[in-house]
Amino acid sequence: MVGTGNFTHAQGILARLNQHQQLSPIGKPLYRAAFYFKEALQLSLGHNNVNNNLTPFDVIFKMGAYKVFSEVSPLIQFINFTCNQAILESLEDADRIHIVDFDIGFGAQWASFMQELPRNRGITPSLKITAFASPSTHHPIELGLMQENLTQFANEIGISFELDVINFDSLDQQSCFSLPIFRASENEAIAVNFPVWAASGQPSALPSLLRLIKQLNPKIVVSLDRGSDRSDLSFPQHVLHALQSYINLFESLDAANVTSDALNKIERFLLQPKIESTVLGRLRGPDKMMPNWKTVFASSGFSPVPFSNFTETQAECVLKRAQVRGFHVEKRHAFLVLYWQGRELISASAWRC
């Protein structure tokens, strides 16, 4: 009903779903995932902006949720180690490294990246990070703490470090090419972290974002796909596909025997905003379906780069250290894919232009 613009009928169905006692943030993975998608569809009918006005207390809860998530699930470590290793291998001769990040989160990925730099080479390169972040997903306190933590960590291990944060929402309101990243030093080697979901709030912006990235002439672009952002499907199929993707993720979290309070915070502060972006972003975009993101990457002049055997072995080691059995990694074409009970959770890929 939402997909066809029949909002009156959609509202009636949602009203009935709101009475459904099993649909709640507590319960089986199917019901929890359905609850969050129902909430996102409710937002789409209310014509409201997503309520992402986090309080300072929420930021603390969110950081705590991220810490627990990274401890109980191998997902975050798989992401960080796989992408970092691909970047390290592509920039191994660089004296000045510049990371352009479209999904910086709490910056934990770059703390582990810094740890690898001094041991990776005889000399310690300098590191600059340009992060694109939206005020709707990043509280100023969150960004401030991240900057402080990364700067302190870099000082402790003797790395020259700089972090710039650019408002992602202003990208289409100003000339991108006047941004400081286009005045990069000739000696800088650039790598880009660009997960597919970075464009989920504006799926139609993907080709122009890739043009922007190509203009930077990066040595490598690392990307991630949760399998839940399918612009090549109709809206209802896209939502069903994303729902199944999150059910799989929620089931893998349940297997870790996390307390219900910790589980609720992981889902509320880390996953619910992504579900809202997946649903609402698609509705804000054009009605017509778009090509699959891999096709858009290829047509924008990017070619996939296979991960090294070392990266694959490292990903398998991450899973061996996990508290829960049932995860495995497979190489699929040039992609490294993390599965839970045979169902895809996330895939990592590397690209060159």
Side-chain angles (χ1 to χ4, degrees):
M1 293 296 110
V2 171
T4 56
N6 196 332
F7 300 131
T8 307
H9 275 103
Q11 198 71 63
I13 295 167
L14 284 166
R16 291 199 297 280
L17 286 173
N18 284 333
Q19 303 303 315
H20 199 299
Q21 292 186 349
Q22 284 180 299
L23 277 194
S24 84
I26 298 159
K28 292 182 178 176
L30 165 64
Y31 293 124
R32 299 203 309 272
F35 169 80
Y36 292 119
F37 275 86
K38 183 258 302 178
E39 292 289 287
L41 287 164
Q42 193 91 53
L43 278 173
S44 75
L45 295 184
H47 307 292
N48 300 328
N49 289 325
V50 181
N51 182 20
N52 277 331
N53 297 324
L54 294 178
T55 67
F57 288 111
D58 288 338
V59 172
I60 302 302
F61 285 138
K62 187 178 172 185
M63 292 176 77
Y66 180 88
K67 185 173 184 294
V68 174
F69 191 14
S70 59
E71 287 169 356
V72 302
S73 169
L75 184 75
I76 290 174
Q77 287 196 19
F78 168 79
I79 289 169
N80 292 353
F81 281 117
T82 303
C83 293
N84 282 357
Q85 187 58 36
I87 293 171
L88 286 164
E89 288 172 9
S90 68
L91 304 180
E92 58 185 358
D93 297 325
D95 294 328
R96 302 177 71 183
I97 293 173
H98 186 175
I99 305 287
V100 179
D101 193 352
F102 285 84
D103 185 44
I104 194 151
F106 291 106
Q109 175 176 352
W110 305 121
S112 60
F113 181 80
M114 284 186 218
Q115 281 183 305
E116 293 302 318
L117 282 177
R119 290 196 295 273
N120 191 39
R121 298 156 34 79
I123 57 168
T124 306
S126 65
L127 176 64
K128 177 181 179 180
I129 298 174
T130 299
F132 286 97
S134 167
S136 66
T137 55
H138 285 77
H139 191 283
I141 290 176
E142 197 178 322
L143 291 170
L145 284 170
M146 177 191 65
Q147 181 139 17
E148 194 178 304
N149 290 341
L150 285 176
T151 303
Q152 185 180 335
F153 188 71
N155 287 339
E156 284 172 6
I157 59 176
I159 288 177
S160 170
F161 176 71
E162 185 184 342
L163 172 66
D164 290 332
V165 180
I166 296 172
N167 184 346
F168 181 72
D169 299 343
S170 67
L171 269 183
D172 56 352
Q173 295 160 20
Q174 64 184 30
S175 170
C176 289
F177 303 109
S178 67
L179 293 171
I181 50 173
F182 287 101
R183 296 193 290 277
S185 156
E186 285 181 17
N187 300 327
E188 275 183 351
I190 294 178
V192 178
N193 181 43
F194 185 76
V196 176
W197 59 79
S200 65
Q202 299 173 305
S204 57
L206 180 58
S208 55
L209 285 169
L210 289 174
R211 280 197 297 275
L212 164 69
I213 290 168
K214 195 174 180 186
Q215 194 76 16
L216 295 170
N217 194 25
K219 296 275 188 189
I220 195 166
V221 177
V222 289
S223 190
L224 297 156
D225 177 27
R226 282 192 300 258
S228 57
D229 295 303
R230 291 290 300 273
S231 56
D232 56 325
L233 297 177
S234 65
F235 177 72
Q237 290 301 316
H238 162 79
V239 170
L240 285 172
H241 191 86
L243 173 64
Q244 186 58 59
S245 172
Y246 277 94
I247 291 169
N248 297 343
L249 177 55
F250 286 12
E251 284 180 357
S252 74
L253 284 171
D254 275 20
N257 290 324
V258 193
T259 66
S260 60
D261 180 58
L263 197 58
N264 182 260
K265 285 188 171 68
I266 289 170
E267 291 173 1
R268 181 183 158 202
F269 290 106
L270 302 180
L271 305 178
Q272 185 177 10
K274 287 183 164 57
I275 289 170
E276 288 171 352
S277 177
T278 292
V279 173
L280 298 179
R282 184 60 189 276
L283 284 174
R284 288 191 203 107
D287 291 336
K288 66 179 189 299
M289 291 183 283
M290 293 175 58
N292 180 285
W293 70 268
K294 294 171 200 159
T295 308
V296 180
F297 267 60
S299 62
S300 300
F302 291 89
S303 305
V305 182
F307 288 104
S308 66
N309 290 334
F310 181 78
T311 307
E312 192 178 354
T313 304
Q314 187 174 246
E316 285 166 355
C317 288
V318 165
L319 300 193
K320 282 176 186 165
R321 292 201 304 268
Q323 298 176 17
V324 185
R325 294 290 163 257
F327 293 95
H328 79 277
V329 174
E330 264 181 39
K331 214 169 193 171
R332 195 176 66 204
H333 307 300
F335 291 53
L336 264 188
V337 187
L338 176 65
Y339 291 89
W340 160 254
Q341 303 290 18
R343 286 165 289 170
E344 184 177 330
L345 279 185
I346 200 160
S347 67
S349 56
W351 304 75
R352 285 208 183 101
C353 50

